[in-house]
Amino acid sequence: MLSATLFKRPNGASEEITITEIDAVTASFFKSNNVSVSLEDTGTDFVVWADAGLKLDDGTPDEITVTASGRDCWETMAELRDLVRQALDEKHD
């Protein structure tokens, strides 16, 4: 399980939720790397993004984003984990 912020339609009100459709390795990765996860229901899809504390050159947070595109939560969160891992590895190179 993983805590996340869900932004809801139509006005973007937020709610703290628990993602249960996530494997333990993925949830542990996000927790151990202090990655904040947020989701937004666009009405036709879900957008999921992660803030791993990375910054762009201008100081703006570098959030990593994936779209579910019809995939289940398990697959979407695994892709997000892989992209965050890649970004963190590149930061340390």
Side-chain angles (χ1 to χ4, degrees), residues 4-16:
T5 303
L6 171 64
F7 293 94
K8 301 184 283 185
R9 294 174 35 95
N11 59 5
S14 65
E15 173 185 347
E16 291 302 310

Side-chain angles (χ1 to χ4, degrees), residues 55-68:
K55 305 282 184 201
L56 298 174
D57 291 338
D58 66 0
T60 305
D62 185 9
E63 296 177 326
I64 297 142
T65 306
V66 298
T67 304

Side-chain angles (χ1 to χ4, degrees), residues 2-8 12-19 22 30 34-42 45-53 61-68 73 76-77 80-81 84:
L2 181 71
S3 295
T5 303
L6 171 64
F7 293 94
K8 301 184 283 185
S14 65
E15 173 185 347
E16 291 302 310
I17 64 166
T18 300
I19 298 173
I22 184 171
F30 288 129
N34 297 313
V35 176
S36 299
V37 175
S38 301
L39 306 90
E40 181 176 359
D41 180 358
T42 66
D45 207 345
F46 274 92
V47 177
V48 185
W49 67 93
D51 182 348
D62 185 9
E63 296 177 326
I64 297 142
T65 306
V66 298
T67 304
C73 189
T76 304
M77 295 306 293
L80 186 63
R81 175 203 63 219
V84 170

